[in-house]
Amino acid sequence: MKFQSHLLRIVTLSITSLLFVIALAAFSPVSADTPQAESAAERFVREQVEKGEVAVLAKNKPDSERRLSASFVAKLLISRDARLSNPHGVSILGAVITGDLNLRDLDIPNNVFMDDCTFDAVDLHGSHFAKSLGLTHANFKYVDFSDATIGLDFIANLSSFKSNSFDRMRVGRDFRIEGSTFDSAATSFESTTVAGIFTVDDCVFNSIVSFNNMRVDGSFSAKGCVFAEWKEHPNGESRVTFIGGHFADVFLNGSSFNKVSTIDFTGMQADLISLEGVQPKTLSGVKHEQMTFKLLRPMNAEKLQLLFSPFDAELYTTVESLFRTHGYPDEADKIFIARKRAERREQCPSLLQKCHPGAWAWSMFQDALAGYGKSLQNLLYWSLGFLLIGIFVFRREKGMRLKDEKDAPHYAGRYNAFWYSLDLFLPIIKLGEADVWTPKDDRRWANLYRKVHIIIGSLFVPIGLAAWTGIIK
């Protein structure tokens, strides 16, 4: 009996405590869906957001009047209050977020726009934003976006990142970080997937940058960027890598690789790669093994030297074929000539060592004569040279004789070396000078050169004119 009475008291006490806890929770004013403001700034923000308006915290006010606690912001962002489902969602401008904002692995159901805000540490690892996330003109000391999912757009223009990671992000529409600065030791977008366009135009990356294994259905744009502007890296190497990336188009127009030693395109796939105006100031090489593309810009061999260093004959051949396939034969010919010249430099880096002088001289001759057969119009320039040689060889009348002495009264003293050289050199067209004059018989070398002069003219002039007019390529 004594035992049963003791047991009854224990059970009664437990049930009473449980009922007290339930009653306390039922009458508590705190709910998961309605964050409770603690400061005037937080109350103002909550009221504006619930009204569907942008909560603007004036920047001319002291930080103390613009501070929002990280816990308050977190509760506001994860709230499923129906009033927050308007187009503005949670829109806050000019706030100073204090403390660590931890949204790790959490769902954020509404649009979020936190522009011109300052953050300490932000953990968005694995978080899921059902709609868009905007962080324009934001300042981050530390932020982790890795494995985060953005249902629509991610925008962080004109922002500053001290330490960051964007690895394995999934963005349902566009990814835009334009005009921003990255000062961390490394900035990584590895394995990030973007359904729309990805743009980091006009950004400054003071770091090693990795775009490895990215998947971008639209265009990838890094126009006007500055890579590794100030910082020297401990390992002595600064690099930008696109290893294994898949893109529709890649635009690096106007970007400057100031202290970058290597750009690595290994295994990258793209329809178009545009390198217009790229400035490789300290670039030592580009890696491009197994890189595939359908079109390349600029279509200029000299401006593409960035891509062709170190020498890769297969890449030259690929680019030449693409240009020819897309209807740019002149540009394709220039790529062919650039490949032959690069081969000559590779095979003969110095005439004093590791070089076959005969092969080098033959290559130089083919290049100078007609661009390895791709610039036959050059023969016209050579024709002018031979014309001048003829004028020199046949320069004096006293070294010439009339073919028919009966013409002496009419032609004596009227010989002209220019017209004679030109008449010999031009095929088909006859000016009459060659029919009247010829070198004297004792001028053996002049007579020999006369034959050479005629042969060269018969070859160079028609071929050069045909190439110049486009009759032959």
Side-chain angles (χ1 to χ4, degrees):
M1 286 294 293
K2 205 168 184 183
F3 173 75
Q4 291 178 349
S5 175
H6 181 66
L7 181 60
L8 182 60
R9 281 197 302 272
I10 293 175
V11 172
T12 302
L13 182 60
S14 298
I15 293 173
T16 302
S17 300
L18 180 60
L19 291 174
F20 177 76
V21 170
I22 293 174
L24 184 64
F27 290 101
S28 172
V30 179
S31 72
D33 288 339
T34 307
Q36 300 302 301
E38 298 178 356
S39 67
E42 291 172 353
R43 283 194 299 272
F44 169 76
V45 168
R46 177 167 57 83
E47 290 168 1
Q48 294 295 103
V49 168
E50 289 176 353
K51 288 191 296 184
E53 298 180 3
V54 179
V56 180
L57 298 170
K59 289 205 71 175
N60 58 357
K61 292 184 178 181
D63 287 358
S64 59
E65 296 183 26
R66 298 189 294 122
R67 285 177 183 160
L68 304 178
S69 68
S71 59
F72 166 79
V73 174
K75 290 178 182 179
L76 192 62
L77 296 185
I78 66 175
S79 173
R80 295 187 178 277
D81 190 327
R83 291 173 292 182
L84 306 184
S85 61
N86 63 81
H88 282 144
V90 179
S91 296
I92 303 172
L93 178 65
V96 177
I97 314 302
T98 59
D100 296 346
L101 180 56
N102 187 354
L103 297 172
R104 192 180 185 90
D105 299 320
L106 295 180
D107 292 328
I108 294 85
N110 304 301
N111 283 319
V112 176
F113 303 102
M114 301 189 68
D115 299 335
D116 211 8
C117 292
T118 300
F119 299 86
D120 290 331
V122 179
D123 188 353
L124 300 178
H125 178 92
S127 59
H128 180 273
F129 289 79
K131 298 182 180 179
S132 294
L133 172 61
L135 299 166
T136 298
H137 218 293
N139 192 310
F140 298 93
K141 293 181 181 177
Y142 168 84
V143 62
D144 183 1
F145 291 100
S146 60
D147 294 297
T149 299
I150 314 295
L152 298 177
D153 298 322
F154 173 63
I155 303 172
N157 298 337
L158 303 172
S159 295
S160 175
F161 300 90
K162 295 291 189 283
S163 180
N164 55 81
S165 174
F166 300 87
D167 290 342
R168 300 176 301 282
M169 286 185 71
R170 293 173 295 278
V171 180
R173 206 154 59 185
D174 294 342
F175 186 117
R176 295 179 177 273
I177 304 183
E178 301 176 17
S180 297
T181 301
F182 299 82
D183 281 323
S184 55
T187 298
S188 177
F189 300 88
E190 291 199 11
S191 301
T192 285
T193 59
V194 179
I197 65 172
F198 175 94
T199 175
V200 288
D201 292 350
D202 300 311
C203 287
V204 177
F205 293 93
N206 301 316
S207 60
I208 292 174
V209 187
S210 171
F211 300 107
N212 296 346
N213 299 310
M214 286 190 69
R215 299 293 185 274
V216 180
D217 293 342
S219 63
F220 172 103
S221 180
K223 298 177 183 177
C225 287
V226 177
F227 290 92
E229 173 70 3
W230 298 306
K231 292 188 176 178
E232 295 287 350
H233 298 285
N235 60 3
E237 179 184 12
S238 55
R239 58 188 181 273
V240 180
T241 60
F242 297 83
I243 300 171
H246 289 248
F247 312 99
D249 300 323
V250 175
F251 295 94
L252 296 176
N253 302 10
S255 289
S256 177
F257 297 85
N258 288 2
K259 292 185 179 178
V260 174
S261 57
T262 304
I263 303 178
D264 195 339
F265 292 115
T266 301
M268 188 185 82
Q269 299 179 21
D271 291 337
L272 166 69
I273 301 176
S274 180
L275 303 171
E276 298 274 5
V278 171
Q279 302 174 36
K281 292 185 178 178
T282 59
L283 195 62
S284 61
V286 174
K287 297 180 180 179
H288 39 64
E289 293 82 359
Q290 299 181 330
M291 177 180 70
T292 59
F293 51 90
K294 296 179 181 178
L295 196 58
L296 192 63
R297 291 179 184 167
M299 293 185 177
N300 184 299
E302 293 181 2
K303 293 181 180 179
L304 285 175
Q305 287 306 311
L306 160 71
L307 195 61
F308 292 135
S309 178
F311 174 73
D312 184 339
E314 184 177 349
L315 181 61
Y316 275 101
T317 302
T318 299
V319 174
E320 179 194 351
S321 176
L322 286 173
F323 284 0
R324 213 173 291 283
T325 300
H326 286 84
Y328 299 97
D330 292 340
E331 289 74 10
D333 289 345
K334 290 175 182 177
I335 293 295
F336 174 84
I337 294 171
R339 175 172 69 84
K340 298 295 288 183
R341 290 172 178 172
E343 285 179 350
R344 184 173 72 230
R345 290 191 296 269
E346 285 291 311
Q347 295 170 2
C348 190
S350 171
L351 286 173
L352 300 178
Q353 56 183 355
K354 297 181 180 179
C355 181
H356 191 291
W360 180 85
W362 175 240
S363 176
M364 284 290 292
F365 173 74
Q366 293 180 84
D367 187 5
L369 181 65
Y372 298 97
K374 299 297 184 180
S375 298
L376 293 174
Q377 64 274 14
N378 288 358
L379 296 178
L380 293 178
Y381 301 118
W382 284 100
S383 296
L384 293 175
F386 280 101
L387 184 61
L388 293 174
I389 293 174
I391 293 173
F392 175 78
V393 173
F394 312 116
R395 64 189 181 278
R396 296 178 182 177
E397 184 175 333
K398 67 178 185 179
M400 309 294 291
R401 69 174 177 82
L402 292 169
K403 289 184 175 181
D404 189 344
E405 292 298 331
K406 295 179 181 179
D407 295 330
H410 181 70
Y411 290 105
R414 300 176 62 183
Y415 172 76
N416 187 295
F418 170 76
W419 291 114
Y420 180 76
S421 178
L422 183 63
D423 193 17
L424 284 179
F425 200 76
L426 291 177
I428 303 175
I429 299 175
K430 295 300 180 181
L431 303 178
E433 296 294 317
D435 294 332
V436 175
W437 299 94
T438 189
K440 290 183 176 179
D441 295 339
D442 60 349
R443 297 184 66 199
R444 187 166 57 117
W445 287 106
N447 278 288
L448 177 61
Y449 179 74
R450 177 179 175 277
K451 297 174 183 178
V452 172
H453 197 74
I454 294 172
I455 293 172
I456 291 176
S458 299
L459 293 174
F460 281 23
V461 173
I463 294 174
L465 286 173
W468 182 56
T469 56
I471 296 175
I472 62 173
K473 292 291 184 181

